[in-house]
Amino acid sequence: MKYLILRRLSQFSIIFLYFGANAWGWKILQGNLSSSKIFETIPMSDPYAILQIFFAGSVVAVDALIGGLVALAFYVIIGGRAFCSWVCPINIVTETASYVRGKLNIQKYQEGRVIITRNSRYYILVTSLVLSSIFGVAAFEFLSPISIVTRGLIFGLGVGVATLVLIFLFDLFVLKDGWCGHFCPLGGFYSLIGRFSLIRVKHNAETCTACMKCKEVCPEKDVLFMVSKESLSVNMGECTLCGRCIDVCGDNSMKFHIRDYLKKESK
Amino acid sequence: MEESRRKFLTQSLQTLGLCSASGLIWGAFLDEAKSDPLILRPPAALSEDEFLKKCIRCGLCVEACPYETLKLAAPGDKKPLGMPFFEPRKIPCYMCEDIPCVPVCPTGALDEKSVTTNGELDINLSRMGVAVVDEKSCIAFWGIQCDACYRACPIMDVAIKLEYKKNERTGKHAFLMPVVDSDFCTGCGLCERACVTKKAAIYVLPRSVALGEVDSSYVKGWDKSDEARVSEAKKKIETTEISKQKPVDYLNDGGL
């Protein structure tokens, strides 16, 4: 539970700081996840949005460029999809859906009915860039549930609440980990840039009793291919560093570590 | 070998097909979702096309606005999603001299340069739209005295002037009619907010919608700066030669 609580704390406090900036004029964290200002000095912008704007045929001003680089550097070093599980508010919705899905045993009666590749997110990522250049607007930003919901929580949600319901129902009844694990191009983007990040989960096969609880809770099972077989660092970019495998592991076989590029064995 | 190649090709084709199919739906949606010709943007916004490209939807301008004039389009507003706009009849732009909404823009979708002269911000340079008067529903045009819009205008007597005309119906009164000069109107909408009629008889429209455009071949000969446009023009005289034939011959030679 430790990491789950920490993550919720991180997600809620980020939204709360944004909300406070708009509602009460706090200067700690202004803007939203598309672009923000920290303490009125450090800019931080969504690099994927800037990429789309670039494909739409426009280069953003210096402020946003620096902001984009700051975010990019942060996630390249920390681990790209840390955004997904520690920052993104949609994650709360999809994890809840996944939890309810497990409780209702929906997966059991649905086995093999929906086959959608997890690579869809990369195809959607490419499609979004092509569409951005054709229509001259940042294509994904026009329907991104992440922006709709964060903006909504800060500035007023309107009927944007439908987006939440849609994603919840889809993940609950149609496809397990549907949005975050299959379609979200922002998650795909962060998977790509987080490939070589320093913070990683490490598996220790020697203490592992192969209970497979970690694989059960993991929203990106493919990244845990080594469990009970080999002691390896979970290095695939799709790992969201959510720490659920660590929370659930009774054998102390999972823990966060800092990838050491100098040592050969921890590839 | 042959089998695996075939599989690869089929799967690639499938992926491409799915991407194109979803791209078509997505694109159709984008084409609709991005166009709202009547939307009013914050001061110093780039042209609508460029603005749509550059705005990253962070809402920093909205947070900077002290009057809650600016709003980000939420789902259901039927406006390009997440981008700032304002509705003057509800809350107009109060034309802050320090224009707090503009310098905070991180992407340059709000262009500080367009509202700067000699290194100083000047809100009067902003062009958010232009006010238009519906003379039929403006009570000043009926002959009733009302100068609400004129007095609300932050550039009174420049952007809105009162034009006087004799009221022939009564024979002893005057019409005091508000007239907007689009050269100076910023489109702040204070007039629209102030208008006393049930539905505003003066309202702000985007300049691209409300203003016409004159072909470059029309020159104001009486205006020195406009006349300068043709100072470099080369004179080109075309004459048609007058026929040497006499009209009588021409009419009688059977050619007709």
Side-chain angles (χ1 to χ4, degrees):
Chain A
M1 285 297 274
K2 185 178 144 204
Y3 287 111
L4 179 69
I5 293 166
L6 283 178
R7 285 193 297 120
R8 290 293 178 268
L9 210 61
S10 155
Q11 287 162 328
F12 281 116
S13 50
I14 287 170
I15 294 293
F16 191 60
L17 287 176
Y18 279 134
F19 182 83
N22 185 44
W24 307 300
W26 294 355
K27 308 284 182 203
I28 306 164
L29 186 61
Q30 292 170 282
N32 60 31
L33 291 176
S34 300
S35 191
S36 37
K37 257 249 146 114
I38 304 164
F39 294 113
E40 289 190 295
T41 42
I42 309 160
M44 210 157 174
S45 306
D46 175 359
Y48 174 46
I50 292 175
L51 190 68
Q52 290 173 73
I53 292 174
F54 179 74
F55 271 83
S58 183
V59 177
V60 292
V62 186
D63 246 24
L65 269 185
I66 295 173
L69 287 176
V70 170
L72 202 63
F74 182 79
Y75 288 117
V76 163
I77 295 167
I78 298 295
R81 293 202 67 189
F83 172 85
C84 301
S85 57
W86 292 81
V87 178
C88 183
I90 293 292
N91 170 268
I92 304 170
V93 179
T94 57
E95 276 182 2
T96 311
S98 176
Y99 176 78
V100 178
R101 196 184 162 91
K103 283 276 166 228
L104 296 181
N105 246 330
I106 290 174
Q107 192 66 28
K108 196 174 149 196
Y109 304 109
Q110 209 182 33
E111 207 69 66
R113 280 229 319 254
V114 184
I115 304 165
I116 293 173
T117 166
R118 283 182 178 260
N119 283 336
S120 299
R121 53 186 154 215
Y122 301 114
Y123 304 139
I124 292 175
L125 177 64
V126 173
T127 309
S128 78
L129 297 180
V130 173
L131 288 175
S132 295
S133 64
I134 294 175
F135 290 96
V137 290
F140 181 60
E141 300 308 306
F142 269 89
L143 35 81
S144 161
I146 306 145
S147 331
I148 290 175
V149 170
T150 32
R151 255 197 322 267
L153 292 173
I154 304 162
F155 299 100
L157 195 53
V159 289
V161 75
T163 321
L164 287 175
V165 176
L166 175 72
I167 287 190
F168 183 78
L169 292 179
F170 184 79
D171 272 25
L172 179 59
F173 292 120
V174 185
L175 183 62
K176 186 175 181 325
D177 303 315
W179 174 255
C180 298
H182 293 75
F183 297 127
C184 179
L186 184 60
F189 179 81
Y190 280 127
S191 295
L192 293 176
I193 67 167
R195 234 128 256 236
F196 307 103
S197 69
L198 293 179
I199 294 185
R200 290 281 123 192
V201 173
K202 186 159 187 190
H203 175 62
N204 183 356
E206 276 149 43
T207 57
C208 176
T209 55
C211 68
M212 293 299 160
K213 275 186 192 154
C214 53
K215 282 209 169 183
E216 258 165 52
V217 294
C218 181
E220 298 281 351
K221 285 180 194 22
D222 298 351
V223 307
L224 292 179
F225 62 88
M226 76 292 284
V227 165
S228 84
K229 295 179 190 125
E230 237 183 310
S231 292
L232 281 180
S233 169
V234 180
N235 281 353
M236 279 169 75
E238 283 82 3
C239 171
T240 69
L241 299 170
C242 64
R244 271 191 277 182
C245 54
I246 305 174
D247 278 344
V248 90
C249 183
D251 310 324
N252 218 5
S253 300
M254 291 286 188
K255 56 170 179 257
F256 279 121
H257 82 130
I258 292 173
R259 186 160 13 167
D260 190 348
Y261 276 106
L262 300 175
K263 272 195 213 154
K264 275 277 179 277
E265 69 267 36
S266 64
K267 14 176 193 170
Chain B
M1 194 61 203
E2 173 67 14
E3 185 61 25
S4 71
R5 197 172 68 182
R6 182 155 295 189
K7 190 181 167 198
F8 171 75
L9 282 174
T10 311
Q11 279 179 344
S12 310
L13 209 64
Q14 219 170 5
T15 308
L16 200 69
L18 275 174
C19 281
S20 315
S22 56
L24 282 171
I25 300 171
W26 190 349
F29 164 73
L30 280 181
D31 211 28
E32 286 296 317
K34 72 172 187 174
S35 63
D36 180 1
L38 295 183
I39 198 164
L40 297 174
R41 298 297 186 191
L46 300 172
S47 70
E48 184 63 12
D49 273 358
E50 286 301 307
F51 186 83
L52 282 171
K53 278 180 194 169
K54 263 207 170 118
C55 175
I56 201 167
R57 305 151 210 247
C58 63
L60 284 170
C61 54
V62 174
E63 286 176 12
C65 176
Y67 297 100
E68 296 185 17
T69 300
L70 297 176
K71 281 190 294 187
L72 289 187
D77 284 339
K78 298 184 182 67
K79 295 192 161 56
L81 195 63
M83 294 182 176
F85 70 99
F86 74 106
E87 292 170 312
R89 187 66 166 171
K90 291 180 185 156
I91 311 177
C93 170
Y94 285 94
M95 305 257 285
C96 313
E97 282 180 12
D98 54 344
I99 328 182
C101 54
V102 174
V104 292
C105 177
T107 61
L110 304 179
D111 180 19
E112 209 176 326
K113 264 181 270 154
S114 72
V115 286
T116 307
T117 36
N118 305 324
E120 273 182 47
L121 289 170
D122 181 1
I123 185 65
N124 287 349
L125 293 176
S126 65
R127 292 290 178 267
M128 295 167 269
V130 65
V132 176
V133 181
D134 172 24
E135 299 178 1
K136 286 287 176 188
S137 55
C138 173
I139 55 168
F141 280 82
W142 294 7
I144 299 172
Q145 197 194 340
C146 168
D147 48 15
C149 57
Y150 167 77
R151 300 217 171 263
C153 181
I155 341 181
M156 186 166 45
D157 262 329
V158 179
I160 301 185
K161 294 180 184 123
L162 285 185
E163 216 169 82
Y164 309 121
K165 199 176 87 180
K166 188 180 175 189
N167 188 342
E168 300 289 354
R169 182 176 59 83
T170 65
K172 52 191 167 191
H173 299 97
F175 291 109
L176 276 72
M177 305 168 297
V179 175
V180 177
D181 189 339
S182 60
D183 283 349
F184 299 101
C185 176
T186 62
C188 68
L190 277 159
C191 52
E192 183 176 335
R193 177 87 187 108
C195 184
V196 301
T197 51
K198 187 170 156 198
K199 184 166 169 251
I202 184 167
Y203 45 86
V204 181
L205 291 175
R207 295 177 76 84
S208 59
V209 172
L211 300 182
E213 202 179 335
V214 182
D215 211 286
S216 69
S217 55
Y218 290 91
V219 179
K220 294 175 191 159
W222 59 92
D223 180 342
K224 270 196 184 139
S225 61
D226 204 37
E227 181 70 5
R229 284 198 292 137
V230 288
S231 63
E232 296 288 304
K234 288 200 180 97
K235 217 180 235 176
K236 188 176 165 195
I237 297 170
E238 277 184 37
T239 46
T240 314
E241 242 172 81
I242 297 167
S243 170
K244 299 229 164 60
Q245 271 183 304
K246 282 186 178 165
V248 176
D249 300 340
Y250 159 74
L251 288 170
N252 292 332
D253 68 357
L256 283 177

